[in-house]
Amino acid sequence: MKELIVGIDLGTTNSVLAVSIEGQIKVIDIHGQPTMPSCVGLDSSGKLIVGQTAKNQLIAAPDATILSIKRKMGEDTKVRLGDKEFSPEEISSFILRELKQEGERQLGQPLRKAVITVPAFFNERQRKATQIAGELAGWDVVRIINEPTAAALAYGANRTADETMLVYDLGGGTFDVSVVVVEKGVVEVKASHGDTHLGGDDFDDLLVAHAIAAFKARHGVDLAGDSKVQRRLKVVLERAKCRLSDEPFVAVREEYLDGKHHLEMELDRRAYEALIEPFLEKTLTCIHQALQDAKLIPKNLDKIMLVGGSTRTPLVHLLLQQRIEVEPRWEINPDLIVAMGAAIQGAVIAGETHHSILVDITPHTFSTSSIGFFEDDERLISVPIIPRNTPLPASKSEVFFTLTDHQAEVRVEATQGENPLAEQNTLIGAFMVEGLSKVPSGNPVVVHFDLDLNGMLKVTATEKNTGLAKSVIMDTRGAHVLNLDQARRNIDSLLGPIDSETVGTKQAESDGELEADAEPEEMLITAKDLRKRAETLIQKNVDLSDADEVRDLIHRSAEAIKNRDWNLLNKSNAALGDLLFYLED
Ligand code: AMP
């Protein structure tokens, strides 16, 4: 058995441990969660605590808790924890030791070797300090790699054709952007730029200031100088901020904030995004700087990859799309991607040749529709709620407003497809919400989409001011078979006729759950696609032994279809898919 070499993202805010097991990159849960706060503390009995437990006492015991030690790595300094002093390396080693112990417990075997990531801008001293921290924790640090390189590896950089990528990393405390070039399988950071004091923490501070101002306006009490209140608000508002990435409004309530009054306020995503936009503008300036250093222009970029929790903010995607004109990739969880890339590097060092990351994403955009302008005409336009490539399960909402005074009802549609015009996309279902309040136009209605791994879409529309709501569950699985007859003919022409009884699809309905059994049909369509790709590949002179394997799998797939053995077809699809993943450019 090969020795496991783990990958560690030793982050400012959170740390992550990942490893390749049987060719599959897996993130190891630490204390039940995939990410562990990079937080170290002493509890009331003086015992060392690491991770979420330490973070939980941050408000109550700030002197006995340390967060963001990464910022001090490489400095000749000490930090105080209780009545003792520690170097940044020592504090980081507590985090790395916790990952080691928890990882060993989860996997039931000793872990010794690790690849640890650092920001591309880290100098030699900071890299050395990271290595020392690892060794103090009992790791054999086999390599220190750059975070953007790890992110690029997670997206299969070492297996793809030559590419130029931009890694946009917006975390809690820092922003980094790197231009990464892949040439002949070698991943290299060409240029890096960033701001070591720009990230989600700044956004939290803006929200805290906003809440303190609102509290003062309402109750006449100024809490600006009260550090305990500020810390309390930061925790609550950080949570609310994260929810704003998926919801248009978030209600915040903190009881007895000043000992007498409650804080009650509502955050609005649009207002929040307007607040942080100047920070995001700075990140765009950094991108241009990095591109300039690499002697490139945005047009030269093949991909943008998103890293760091703050990239979940919808405005980040929008700005990158509009201003750099490259759609950002975020199929891989931005909190986990760096550790996964480090685990790939670990697997490569350990001599593994096959490693992959499984991601469940939606390949289509799910939208609702609303009256809007398209090429100067008033039309029913698509308003994306869950964009394509969103990891599943996904849960997102948007707000819409009634158009006329006393509007008593609204029609809510769910469509699938990429066209800006609703009518050009596939309608999955629609329903009416009746009995809205008799109020002037502009009455907000929140439309919420919940899409699960099985393709069931729950659509809920809620009149914001009254809570009047209606939910409908729709089956999206049949929806992408735009023309069933056409699909059948395609399959027949390639694979021979299929017994029509086995290929059932159901039209999505607007009410109630569906029991569609679309699996065989989807498998057949997948089989057809895979077979086409496999044959193209064989024609392209792949290695002889690979070609034999591909042929064998095509044969197995055909046999499975002939015998209507869906289980076998599923397996041969998976095997062929995997093989193509490695062989295709
Ligand atoms: P990282 O340093 O990559 O762990 O990122 C941590 C930062 O991401 C913190 O500031 C979090 O508040 C922020 N963050 C995490 N999840 C979200 C989210 N869903 N929306 C916006 N920010 C988030």
Side-chain angles (χ1 to χ4, degrees):
M1 195 173 81
K2 284 208 178 74
E3 184 170 23
L4 296 182
I5 302 183
V6 306
I8 297 178
D9 171 9
L10 179 62
T12 311
T13 324
N14 293 301
S15 294
V16 183
L17 176 74
V19 65
S20 171
I21 297 173
E22 289 167 10
Q24 190 77 51
I25 304 298
K26 291 209 161 64
V27 171
I28 309 299
D29 275 358
I30 307 292
H31 309 139
Q33 295 296 326
T35 62
M36 180 187 83
S38 304
C39 195
V40 174
L42 293 178
D43 71 7
S44 52
S45 67
K47 194 172 128 247
L48 186 77
I49 46 176
V50 180
Q52 190 59 50
T53 347
K55 196 173 174 191
N56 290 347
Q57 68 163 29
L58 192 61
I59 298 175
D63 298 336
T65 318
I66 292 175
L67 194 65
S68 307
I69 194 64
K70 186 170 173 180
R71 290 178 185 284
K72 295 203 161 63
M73 288 297 269
E75 284 180 23
D76 188 11
T77 181
K78 295 271 183 198
V79 289
R80 182 165 276 283
L81 187 62
D83 56 6
K84 289 207 186 75
E85 287 197 328
F86 295 94
S87 66
E89 288 91 331
E90 286 168 323
I91 297 292
S92 292
S93 80
F94 297 145
I95 298 168
L96 290 165
R97 196 181 61 170
E98 191 71 17
L99 295 176
K100 186 167 189 289
Q101 288 173 348
E102 269 291 297
E104 288 175 342
R105 219 165 57 80
Q106 294 296 326
L107 294 171
Q109 68 180 94
L111 298 173
R112 290 189 198 89
K113 297 187 175 179
V115 171
I116 305 181
T117 60
V118 293
F121 65 77
F122 256 27
N123 60 29
E124 277 317 306
R125 240 184 119 105
Q126 293 167 305
R127 284 165 200 263
K128 187 80 200 150
T130 307
Q131 170 128 21
I132 290 171
E135 283 162 10
L136 286 174
W139 289 109
D140 172 5
V141 182
V142 294
R143 198 159 305 171
I144 298 279
I145 64 167
N146 289 322
E147 288 161 8
T149 305
L153 285 174
Y155 270 106
N158 58 340
R159 286 197 293 266
T160 54
D162 292 357
E163 270 185 323
T164 303
M165 322 181 182
L166 191 90
V167 179
Y168 180 101
D169 181 352
L170 187 60
T174 54
F175 169 67
D176 296 308
V177 57
S178 302
V179 177
V180 177
V181 172
V182 187
E183 267 167 357
K184 300 191 177 61
V186 177
V187 187
E188 193 191 344
V189 179
K190 280 282 182 209
S192 263
H193 211 75
D195 189 327
T196 47
H197 291 96
L198 195 171
D201 291 347
D202 298 296
F203 309 162
D204 302 342
D205 290 344
L206 286 175
L207 286 175
V208 169
H210 175 69
I212 284 178
F215 194 82
K216 186 174 172 196
R218 177 115 180 239
H219 304 292
V221 183
D222 189 355
L223 295 169
D226 189 330
S227 58
K228 192 149 186 192
V229 163
Q230 299 223 0
R231 279 200 297 272
R232 197 172 141 194
L233 281 176
K234 205 166 156 111
V235 172
V236 177
L237 292 170
E238 194 247 351
R239 246 179 261 142
K241 171 194 77 175
C242 294
R243 283 181 52 201
L244 272 186
S245 293
D246 299 323
E247 298 165 37
F249 305 102
V250 173
V252 178
R253 183 180 156 87
E254 263 302 277
E255 296 199 340
Y256 302 109
L257 191 61
D258 61 344
K260 278 199 201 124
H261 310 95
H262 308 319
L263 168 80
E264 276 172 293
M265 62 188 282
E266 185 183 71
L267 298 177
D268 171 330
R269 186 198 295 158
R270 277 178 205 167
Y272 164 68
E273 290 188 332
L275 214 58
I276 65 166
E277 194 163 347
F279 282 102
L280 299 185
E281 284 292 340
K282 277 198 200 174
T283 69
L284 294 176
T285 312
C286 291
I287 292 179
H288 291 298
Q289 186 65 54
L291 284 172
Q292 208 176 15
D293 292 351
K295 302 195 172 43
L296 295 171
I297 54 169
K299 270 209 177 81
N300 299 126
L301 293 173
D302 298 304
K303 278 181 192 159
I304 295 183
M305 280 162 292
L306 298 182
V307 181
S310 300
T311 59
R312 289 209 174 86
T313 311
L315 187 60
V316 169
H317 297 215
L318 192 73
L319 284 180
L320 289 172
Q321 226 162 341
Q322 287 179 343
R323 307 274 285 279
I324 310 295
E325 293 185 27
V326 179
E327 193 177 312
R329 305 275 301 258
W330 58 310
E331 296 94 294
I332 303 180
N333 184 327
D335 301 319
L336 311 180
I337 178 172
V338 168
M340 289 173 137
I344 289 179
Q345 181 69 75
V348 170
I349 296 171
E352 247 181 62
T353 46
H354 283 226
H355 39 260
S356 61
I357 291 176
L358 257 194
V359 276
D360 275 306
I361 52 151
T362 160
H364 313 282
T365 299
F366 289 93
S367 308
T368 189
S369 45
S370 146
I371 302 285
F373 282 93
F374 180 77
E375 291 173 354
D376 294 339
D377 285 335
E378 210 175 63
R379 305 283 291 269
L380 202 56
I381 55 163
S382 298
V383 184
I385 307 275
I386 300 182
R388 69 161 181 253
N389 293 338
T390 302
L392 295 179
S395 179
K396 306 233 170 239
S397 40
E398 270 303 337
V399 63
F400 297 85
F401 300 92
T402 53
L403 283 173
T404 54
D405 292 346
H406 297 184
Q407 186 173 328
E409 55 183 30
V410 285
R411 180 180 147 91
V412 180
E413 281 188 354
T415 62
Q416 180 179 295
E418 314 307 320
N419 203 292
L421 286 178
E423 73 205 37
Q424 299 292 331
N425 289 324
T426 308
L427 180 69
I428 303 169
F431 61 92
M432 298 298 294
V433 185
E434 285 147 358
L436 299 178
S437 319
K438 289 194 170 167
V439 292
S441 64
N443 181 16
V445 176
V446 176
V447 175
H448 186 94
F449 278 22
D450 258 312
L451 183 61
D452 75 10
L453 281 164
N454 303 316
M456 301 310 290
L457 176 69
K458 183 173 170 202
V459 180
T460 307
T462 311
E463 185 181 28
K464 181 168 175 273
N465 298 331
T466 62
L468 170 84
K470 181 162 179 186
S471 281
V472 165
I473 295 174
M474 304 173 186
D475 188 337
T476 68
R477 291 175 297 177
H480 67 283
V481 185
L482 292 176
N483 180 332
L484 189 60
D485 287 341
Q486 174 75 42
R488 279 209 184 103
R489 275 201 300 278
N490 279 344
I491 294 167
D492 287 357
S493 68
L494 192 74
L495 304 167
I498 300 151
D499 186 338
S500 61
E501 275 175 25
T502 62
V503 187
T505 190
K506 301 246 169 81
Q507 275 289 279
E509 285 173 10
S510 61
D511 273 294
E513 276 176 73
L514 291 176
E515 293 292 328
D517 179 11
E519 261 108 83
E521 181 194 332
E522 283 184 4
M523 273 188 254
L524 286 163
I525 291 170
T526 307
K528 179 196 157 206
D529 174 56
L530 288 169
R531 186 160 160 177
K532 209 158 132 193
R533 283 163 53 196
E535 278 165 356
T536 314
L537 197 78
I538 290 173
Q539 284 161 8
K540 272 207 220 153
N541 288 337
V542 285
D543 190 278
L544 219 55
S545 61
D546 288 331
D548 279 345
E549 203 177 337
V550 173
R551 273 193 207 99
D552 181 48
L553 285 170
I554 294 177
H555 177 71
R556 264 169 47 197
S557 165
E559 282 292 295
I561 292 166
K562 202 167 88 195
N563 300 324
R564 291 166 53 193
D565 184 342
W566 306 132
N567 198 10
L568 183 65
L569 185 60
N570 201 14
K571 282 191 188 143
S572 61
N573 275 357
L576 194 52
D578 274 354
L579 195 61
L580 292 177
F581 178 76
Y582 289 106
L583 297 180
E584 281 177 339
D585 276 345

